[in-house]
Amino acid sequence: MTGYKEIDPAPVPVILTQLFEASWSYEEFVRVMPFGPDSEGQAYAFSKPARVDGDRLSGEYRLTQFPRLRVDGVLLPDVHGLIETQSGAQVATKAGGFGLQVPGEPGNRNVTHWMRLWTGAPELAWVNSVVAFGVGSFVDDEARISYYVAAPGSEPSQPPAGAPALELLGTARWEYPEYDAVHQFGDREGVGFATSVGEVEGGILAGTWRGWHYPAYLRNGLYQVDAHAEISGPAGPVINRHGGLATAPANP
């Protein structure tokens, strides 16, 4: 590979901060199995009144679910929700991830989520530029999940008490042989298309990288990531899809 800037090959430090604790149970959870009881299926659910509680964001929470039931028993959540704070501010949420069956405990699952948040409330505008992830469980018909915000840091830091341990899969770097963008409204909003080539160093995903990127440019300056990549290592190819947010440096 050529064209890379000289960078420190060490992993990027990650800073974790707790966002909130969420708990809910379902008013109704309906499963539809169009290909038979032992195949994949689709579900629909909506929650009873629920809550999230955190130092910076707390309030009443309601959500709907449209999860896929995979043929191996894994639940793939597709969650849309709304948080309403005591002051009346509203935060819309969207989450996805995995619900893994606990061996020997039918109906109980270990849950991992990613989450995006949106608000028009000025005092909560910071949530518009974060990506959160949650870990928890679904036991006895109740979900209890702790959500954290992950952000790059300048040096390693201690995670909050009770936070999950992070495992390095690899440090990826790439360049764009092709990169085009269309700004359909003549301002900072737009969409892009790009291809990338690179490599992943360290971790179990070490190998060569090639990707296809479909970013969106939002009016508030956020760069919204939507990309697909193939990582080819000694064990064979790994297909990756990743999304998230990128922001301009505070002091460019």
Side-chain angles (χ1 to χ4, degrees), residues 24 26 28-34 40-47 61-70 74-81 93-99 113-114:
W24 70 85
Y26 291 111
E28 187 174 340
F29 197 109
V30 178
R31 294 173 174 83
V32 178
M33 309 298 289
E40 66 180 52
Q42 185 65 54
Y44 171 79
F46 57 92
S47 69
Y61 187 40
R62 51 197 169 105
L63 59 91
T64 60
Q65 266 264 45
F66 195 66
R68 176 187 163 204
L69 300 166
R70 211 165 67 183
V74 173
L75 188 74
L76 303 178
D78 183 1
V79 188
H80 296 261
T93 68
K94 177 175 172 58
F98 296 95
H113 276 174
W114 57 261

Side-chain angles (χ1 to χ4, degrees), residues 203-250:
I204 63 174
L205 293 183
T208 59
W209 165 292
R210 59 174 180 162
W212 298 264
H213 304 253
Y214 320 103
Y217 309 97
L218 307 184
R219 290 177 184 243
N220 59 359
L222 284 178
Y223 175 100
Q224 189 166 276
V225 179
D226 182 6
H228 301 74
E230 177 195 71
I231 304 168
S232 295
V238 174
I239 304 301
N240 164 283
R241 181 176 183 184
H242 58 278
L245 298 171
T247 58

Side-chain angles (χ1 to χ4, degrees), residues 94-244:
K94 177 175 172 58
F98 296 95
L100 304 175
Q101 289 182 327
V102 178
E105 300 181 30
N108 295 346
R109 295 179 182 271
N110 293 323
V111 179
T112 57
H113 276 174
W114 57 261
M115 179 180 279
R116 284 285 316 278
L117 307 96
W118 297 263
T119 188
E123 69 274 20
L124 294 174
W126 56 271
V127 305
N128 294 318
S129 58
V130 302
V131 176
F133 71 91
V135 291
S137 61
F138 185 80
V139 178
D140 296 330
D141 296 325
E142 183 176 19
R144 293 183 177 272
I145 302 180
S146 299
Y147 289 91
Y148 299 84
V149 174
S154 57
E155 57 186 32
S157 64
Q158 286 295 112
L166 300 181
E167 178 183 354
L168 178 67
L169 297 180
T171 300
R173 59 176 183 168
W174 62 80
E175 59 186 6
Y176 297 107
E178 300 175 287
Y179 200 115
D180 294 289
V182 176
H183 296 268
Q184 64 269 42
F185 299 112
D187 56 20
R188 298 180 69 180
E189 184 173 338
V191 295
F193 176 84
T195 61
S196 65
V197 291
E199 59 190 348
V200 179
E201 299 177 343
I204 63 174
L205 293 183
T208 59
W209 165 292
R210 59 174 180 162
W212 298 264
H213 304 253
Y214 320 103
Y217 309 97
L218 307 184
R219 290 177 184 243
N220 59 359
L222 284 178
Y223 175 100
Q224 189 166 276
V225 179
D226 182 6
H228 301 74
E230 177 195 71
I231 304 168
S232 295
V238 174
I239 304 301
N240 164 283
R241 181 176 183 184
H242 58 278

